[in-house]
Amino acid sequence: MMMMIHMDRFSCFVVVVLCVVMAARVSYAAGNQFEVDKHLNRLNKRSVKSIKSPDGDIIDCVHIEHQAAFDHPSLKNHKVQMRPNYHPEGMNYESMKVSSKSEQTITQLWHLNGNCAKGTIPVRRTKKEDILRASSIKNYGKKSSVSTVAQPNSIDLDLINQSGHQHAIAYVEGEFYGAKATMNVWDPQIQQSNEFSLSQIWLLGGSFSSDLNSIEAGWQVSPDLYGDNNTRFFTYWTSDAYQATGCYNLLCSGFIQINNEIALGASISPISKYHGSQYDISILIWKDPEQGNWWMQFGNGNVLGYWPASLFSYLTDSASMIQWGGEVVNSASDGQHTTTQMGSGHFPEEGFGKSSYFRNVQIVDGSNSLRTPKDIDTFTEQPNCYDVQTGKNGGWGSYIYYGGPGRNPNCP
Ligand SMILES: *[C@@H]1O[C@H](CO)[C@@H](O)[C@H](O)[C@H]1NC(C)=O
Ligand SMILES: *[C@@H]1O[C@H](CO)[C@@H](O)[C@H](O)[C@H]1NC(C)=O
């Protein structure tokens, strides 16, 4: 009897708690919904036309003057620069040589269904479900603030291991005003949706602490960010080591796009095949010596836009390190190394047609000239999981093979 009463009281208590919990949840969801809609409104600007891409994306053609960049406090009265004042010297070096299939044959899938007129820019529309996949609205479009950059010289190497981000990169240190490379494009397998695999160029300024400045561009597979396993062209920037500033693509105000053909975050096609056709893209990022803005060009003539100098602290001057290579997240959720692949998923030793590469790797020096860098070093946390090798030859200049399968008998 005594026991019964006790139980009744207990169940009554449980019901009350449940009700309180449920009420709290309902109001959290409603508040959250409001925040999500507000964020969508911030990101998705009024468009003059929308194009449905075969991969499910919607590309909005947004008037240049209406893009999200101008919401940035320091860009309120910014006058858009429609072209760079300068290109680096020595640009012709590479266009004379055609090796594998060039970026000319690579398109973005949405081109199949339309284009954006001059004076507008193509913007990948953010959907509600994109934001809901993020751990919070604040984190949507950002890299985790745990150190995600390879720190080749840091004595505290354990730190990078802990954060679960793994790299296989080549790098140079000095004073740089740009970087260029041609990289082949792959579709690495991702073990679970909160991991990603990317291949990119990094331009870094400042120290590896809370004020690191970084500009990044390349291709990535990131299920949480995009909702699929497609390989996508992307950019990233931060001026405080991935904390409060910066984001992927146009997911925050900062990068100013002027190009009406290339959408940041859109899927790339076709993709290189193991032992088959290789498809590569060229990326050049350089600093306008007069205005200080950092420009980006895709392929041989597609100037995409620029990061205004005012976004940065150290990069207002020059980059102190350039890196080329891959990065994956190893969440090791089942106690083993992830099977998420980097690059082609094959090791550098396998060479052309099998391994992922950066070829014609160049830097822009203090006299605004493209040059082959002198002393390239390499770095990887676990070479048995993902590795990197460098080399030089006539046609490819300075080149890098990088990547790997992740988990394998030597990387348990
Ligand atoms: C991505 O690929 C993994 C396997 O590699 C698969 O389990 C997952 O369902 C795919 N995700 C999407 C959104 O297609
Ligand atoms: C990272 O961790 C792995 C395994 O725990 C270890 O073998 C490797 O030496 C570490 N790498 C660095 C750079 O500390």
PDB file of all heavy atoms in Angstrom, residues 155-162 166 337 379-385, ligand 2:
ATOM      1  N   ILE A 155      54.596  23.591 -32.052  1.00  0.00           N
ATOM      2  CA  ILE A 155      55.104  22.534 -31.185  1.00  0.00           C
ATOM      3  C   ILE A 155      53.932  21.752 -30.597  1.00  0.00           C
ATOM      4  O   ILE A 155      54.084  20.628 -30.180  1.00  0.00           O
ATOM      5  CB  ILE A 155      55.961  23.107 -30.033  1.00  0.00           C
ATOM      6  CG1 ILE A 155      55.439  24.462 -29.611  1.00  0.00           C
ATOM      7  CG2 ILE A 155      57.418  23.158 -30.413  1.00  0.00           C
ATOM      8  CD1 ILE A 155      55.954  24.942 -28.289  1.00  0.00           C
ATOM      9  N   ASP A 156      52.772  22.369 -30.591  1.00  0.00           N
ATOM     10  CA  ASP A 156      51.612  21.756 -29.960  1.00  0.00           C
ATOM     11  C   ASP A 156      50.844  20.909 -30.968  1.00  0.00           C
ATOM     12  O   ASP A 156      49.677  21.114 -31.218  1.00  0.00           O
ATOM     13  CB  ASP A 156      50.710  22.852 -29.391  1.00  0.00           C
ATOM     14  CG  ASP A 156      49.763  22.287 -28.353  1.00  0.00           C
ATOM     15  OD1 ASP A 156      49.912  21.100 -28.007  1.00  0.00           O
ATOM     16  OD2 ASP A 156      48.877  23.026 -27.907  1.00  0.00           O
ATOM     17  N   LEU A 157      51.527  19.942 -31.555  1.00  0.00           N
ATOM     18  CA  LEU A 157      50.898  19.152 -32.609  1.00  0.00           C
ATOM     19  C   LEU A 157      49.746  18.294 -32.105  1.00  0.00           C
ATOM     20  O   LEU A 157      48.864  17.925 -32.863  1.00  0.00           O
ATOM     21  CB  LEU A 157      51.938  18.278 -33.308  1.00  0.00           C
ATOM     22  CG  LEU A 157      52.855  19.055 -34.255  1.00  0.00           C
ATOM     23  CD1 LEU A 157      53.938  18.167 -34.814  1.00  0.00           C
ATOM     24  CD2 LEU A 157      52.051  19.679 -35.387  1.00  0.00           C
ATOM     25  N   ASP A 158      49.755  17.980 -30.802  1.00  0.00           N
ATOM     26  CA  ASP A 158      48.665  17.177 -30.260  1.00  0.00           C
ATOM     27  C   ASP A 158      47.314  17.847 -30.467  1.00  0.00           C
ATOM     28  O   ASP A 158      46.302  17.204 -30.643  1.00  0.00           O
ATOM     29  CB  ASP A 158      48.858  16.967 -28.751  1.00  0.00           C
ATOM     30  CG  ASP A 158      49.833  15.840 -28.507  1.00  0.00           C
ATOM     31  OD1 ASP A 158      50.172  15.152 -29.479  1.00  0.00           O
ATOM     32  OD2 ASP A 158      50.234  15.663 -27.347  1.00  0.00           O
ATOM     33  N   LEU A 159      47.343  19.155 -30.457  1.00  0.00           N
ATOM     34  CA  LEU A 159      46.111  19.929 -30.567  1.00  0.00           C
ATOM     35  C   LEU A 159      45.372  19.632 -31.856  1.00  0.00           C
ATOM     36  O   LEU A 159      44.161  19.457 -31.869  1.00  0.00           O
ATOM     37  CB  LEU A 159      46.472  21.413 -30.517  1.00  0.00           C
ATOM     38  CG  LEU A 159      45.375  22.312 -29.984  1.00  0.00           C
ATOM     39  CD1 LEU A 159      45.516  22.402 -28.478  1.00  0.00           C
ATOM     40  CD2 LEU A 159      45.491  23.691 -30.598  1.00  0.00           C
ATOM     41  N   ILE A 160      46.120  19.564 -32.952  1.00  0.00           N
ATOM     42  CA  ILE A 160      45.449  19.320 -34.232  1.00  0.00           C
ATOM     43  C   ILE A 160      44.866  17.919 -34.252  1.00  0.00           C
ATOM     44  O   ILE A 160      43.790  17.694 -34.759  1.00  0.00           O
ATOM     45  CB  ILE A 160      46.387  19.476 -35.448  1.00  0.00           C
ATOM     46  CG1 ILE A 160      47.821  19.670 -35.024  1.00  0.00           C
ATOM     47  CG2 ILE A 160      45.926  20.591 -36.330  1.00  0.00           C
ATOM     48  CD1 ILE A 160      48.741  19.807 -36.197  1.00  0.00           C
ATOM     49  N   ASN A 161      45.606  16.984 -33.679  1.00  0.00           N
ATOM     50  CA  ASN A 161      45.112  15.625 -33.629  1.00  0.00           C
ATOM     51  C   ASN A 161      43.789  15.551 -32.886  1.00  0.00           C
ATOM     52  O   ASN A 161      42.879  14.878 -33.312  1.00  0.00           O
ATOM     53  CB  ASN A 161      46.136  14.729 -32.920  1.00  0.00           C
ATOM     54  CG  ASN A 161      46.921  13.894 -33.920  1.00  0.00           C
ATOM     55  OD1 ASN A 161      46.593  13.888 -35.097  1.00  0.00           O
ATOM     56  ND2 ASN A 161      47.913  13.196 -33.423  1.00  0.00           N
ATOM     57  N   GLN A 162      43.707  16.280 -31.800  1.00  0.00           N
ATOM     58  CA  GLN A 162      42.502  16.223 -30.980  1.00  0.00           C
ATOM     59  C   GLN A 162      41.291  16.782 -31.701  1.00  0.00           C
ATOM     60  O   GLN A 162      40.198  16.283 -31.576  1.00  0.00           O
ATOM     61  CB  GLN A 162      42.712  16.996 -29.677  1.00  0.00           C
ATOM     62  CG  GLN A 162      43.496  16.211 -28.660  1.00  0.00           C
ATOM     63  CD  GLN A 162      44.019  17.090 -27.556  1.00  0.00           C
ATOM     64  OE1 GLN A 162      43.608  18.239 -27.433  1.00  0.00           O
ATOM     65  NE2 GLN A 162      44.918  16.557 -26.763  1.00  0.00           N
ATOM     66  N   GLN A 166      42.302  16.371 -40.179  1.00  0.00           N
ATOM     67  CA  GLN A 166      43.572  15.855 -40.653  1.00  0.00           C
ATOM     68  C   GLN A 166      43.913  16.460 -42.001  1.00  0.00           C
ATOM     69  O   GLN A 166      43.026  16.705 -42.818  1.00  0.00           O
ATOM     70  CB  GLN A 166      43.498  14.340 -40.747  1.00  0.00           C
ATOM     71  CG  GLN A 166      43.249  13.722 -39.379  1.00  0.00           C
ATOM     72  CD  GLN A 166      43.848  12.346 -39.274  1.00  0.00           C
ATOM     73  OE1 GLN A 166      43.723  11.531 -40.185  1.00  0.00           O
ATOM     74  NE2 GLN A 166      44.516  12.095 -38.160  1.00  0.00           N
ATOM     75  N   HIS A 337      39.783   4.891 -37.028  1.00  0.00           N
ATOM     76  CA  HIS A 337      39.960   6.031 -37.919  1.00  0.00           C
ATOM     77  C   HIS A 337      38.825   6.055 -38.939  1.00  0.00           C
ATOM     78  O   HIS A 337      38.349   5.012 -39.369  1.00  0.00           O
ATOM     79  CB  HIS A 337      41.309   5.943 -38.634  1.00  0.00           C
ATOM     80  CG  HIS A 337      41.701   7.220 -39.294  1.00  0.00           C
ATOM     81  ND1 HIS A 337      41.137   7.630 -40.476  1.00  0.00           N
ATOM     82  CD2 HIS A 337      42.555   8.197 -38.925  1.00  0.00           C
ATOM     83  CE1 HIS A 337      41.654   8.801 -40.806  1.00  0.00           C
ATOM     84  NE2 HIS A 337      42.523   9.169 -39.880  1.00  0.00           N
ATOM     85  N   PHE A 379      53.520  18.501 -44.876  1.00  0.00           N
ATOM     86  CA  PHE A 379      53.053  18.195 -43.525  1.00  0.00           C
ATOM     87  C   PHE A 379      51.848  17.272 -43.590  1.00  0.00           C
ATOM     88  O   PHE A 379      50.956  17.453 -44.418  1.00  0.00           O
ATOM     89  CB  PHE A 379      52.638  19.490 -42.808  1.00  0.00           C
ATOM     90  CG  PHE A 379      51.973  19.251 -41.479  1.00  0.00           C
ATOM     91  CD1 PHE A 379      52.727  19.048 -40.334  1.00  0.00           C
ATOM     92  CD2 PHE A 379      50.583  19.202 -41.381  1.00  0.00           C
ATOM     93  CE1 PHE A 379      52.116  18.803 -39.112  1.00  0.00           C
ATOM     94  CE2 PHE A 379      49.966  18.968 -40.161  1.00  0.00           C
ATOM     95  CZ  PHE A 379      50.731  18.766 -39.025  1.00  0.00           C
ATOM     96  N   THR A 380      51.837  16.261 -42.753  1.00  0.00           N
ATOM     97  CA  THR A 380      50.634  15.449 -42.571  1.00  0.00           C
ATOM     98  C   THR A 380      50.660  14.869 -41.168  1.00  0.00           C
ATOM     99  O   THR A 380      51.738  14.563 -40.632  1.00  0.00           O
ATOM    100  CB  THR A 380      50.521  14.348 -43.649  1.00  0.00           C
ATOM    101  OG1 THR A 380      49.339  13.602 -43.420  1.00  0.00           O
ATOM    102  CG2 THR A 380      51.728  13.420 -43.651  1.00  0.00           C
ATOM    103  N   GLU A 381      49.511  14.772 -40.522  1.00  0.00           N
ATOM    104  CA  GLU A 381      49.477  14.271 -39.147  1.00  0.00           C
ATOM    105  C   GLU A 381      49.752  12.769 -39.109  1.00  0.00           C
ATOM    106  O   GLU A 381      50.479  12.275 -38.249  1.00  0.00           O
ATOM    107  CB  GLU A 381      48.117  14.543 -38.489  1.00  0.00           C
ATOM    108  CG  GLU A 381      47.878  15.996 -38.096  1.00  0.00           C
ATOM    109  CD  GLU A 381      47.132  16.780 -39.168  1.00  0.00           C
ATOM    110  OE1 GLU A 381      46.927  16.233 -40.273  1.00  0.00           O
ATOM    111  OE2 GLU A 381      46.758  17.932 -38.893  1.00  0.00           O
ATOM    112  N   GLN A 382      49.131  12.018 -40.009  1.00  0.00           N
ATOM    113  CA  GLN A 382      49.269  10.565 -40.018  1.00  0.00           C
ATOM    114  C   GLN A 382      49.477  10.073 -41.452  1.00  0.00           C
ATOM    115  O   GLN A 382      48.511   9.781 -42.145  1.00  0.00           O
ATOM    116  CB  GLN A 382      48.025   9.913 -39.421  1.00  0.00           C
ATOM    117  CG  GLN A 382      47.887  10.141 -37.917  1.00  0.00           C
ATOM    118  CD  GLN A 382      46.606   9.525 -37.386  1.00  0.00           C
ATOM    119  OE1 GLN A 382      45.564  10.156 -37.352  1.00  0.00           O
ATOM    120  NE2 GLN A 382      46.681   8.265 -36.979  1.00  0.00           N
ATOM    121  N   PRO A 383      50.737   9.985 -41.885  1.00  0.00           N
ATOM    122  CA  PRO A 383      51.023   9.627 -43.280  1.00  0.00           C
ATOM    123  C   PRO A 383      50.475   8.262 -43.692  1.00  0.00           C
ATOM    124  O   PRO A 383      50.318   8.000 -44.882  1.00  0.00           O
ATOM    125  CB  PRO A 383      52.560   9.646 -43.351  1.00  0.00           C
ATOM    126  CG  PRO A 383      53.030   9.725 -41.942  1.00  0.00           C
ATOM    127  CD  PRO A 383      51.947  10.296 -41.117  1.00  0.00           C
ATOM    128  N   ASN A 384      50.166   7.410 -42.722  1.00  0.00           N
ATOM    129  CA  ASN A 384      49.586   6.113 -43.089  1.00  0.00           C
ATOM    130  C   ASN A 384      48.110   6.219 -43.440  1.00  0.00           C
ATOM    131  O   ASN A 384      47.519   5.268 -43.953  1.00  0.00           O
ATOM    132  CB  ASN A 384      49.732   5.109 -41.937  1.00  0.00           C
ATOM    133  CG  ASN A 384      51.175   4.716 -41.734  1.00  0.00           C
ATOM    134  OD1 ASN A 384      51.980   4.829 -42.669  1.00  0.00           O
ATOM    135  ND2 ASN A 384      51.505   4.273 -40.539  1.00  0.00           N
ATOM    136  N   CYS A 385      47.520   7.370 -43.126  1.00  0.00           N
ATOM    137  CA  CYS A 385      46.094   7.584 -43.429  1.00  0.00           C
ATOM    138  C   CYS A 385      45.955   8.458 -44.675  1.00  0.00           C
ATOM    139  O   CYS A 385      45.200   8.137 -45.586  1.00  0.00           O
ATOM    140  CB  CYS A 385      45.402   8.248 -42.246  1.00  0.00           C
ATOM    141  SG  CYS A 385      45.662   7.391 -40.670  1.00  0.00           S
TER     142      CYS A 385
HETATM  143  C1  LIG B   2      48.456  12.052 -34.184  1.00  0.00           C
HETATM  144  O1  LIG B   2      47.902  10.936 -33.529  1.00  0.00           O
HETATM  145  C2  LIG B   2      48.332   9.696 -34.060  1.00  0.00           C
HETATM  146  C3  LIG B   2      47.560   8.584 -33.394  1.00  0.00           C
HETATM  147  O2  LIG B   2      47.068   8.965 -32.164  1.00  0.00           O
HETATM  148  C4  LIG B   2      49.846   9.570 -33.857  1.00  0.00           C
HETATM  149  O3  LIG B   2      50.304   8.351 -34.389  1.00  0.00           O
HETATM  150  C5  LIG B   2      50.522  10.713 -34.580  1.00  0.00           C
HETATM  151  O4  LIG B   2      51.904  10.683 -34.342  1.00  0.00           O
HETATM  152  C6  LIG B   2      49.961  12.048 -34.127  1.00  0.00           C
HETATM  153  N1  LIG B   2      50.508  13.079 -34.990  1.00  0.00           N
HETATM  154  C7  LIG B   2      51.020  14.194 -34.540  1.00  0.00           C
HETATM  155  C8  LIG B   2      51.530  15.124 -35.584  1.00  0.00           C
HETATM  156  O5  LIG B   2      51.072  14.461 -33.356  1.00  0.00           O
END
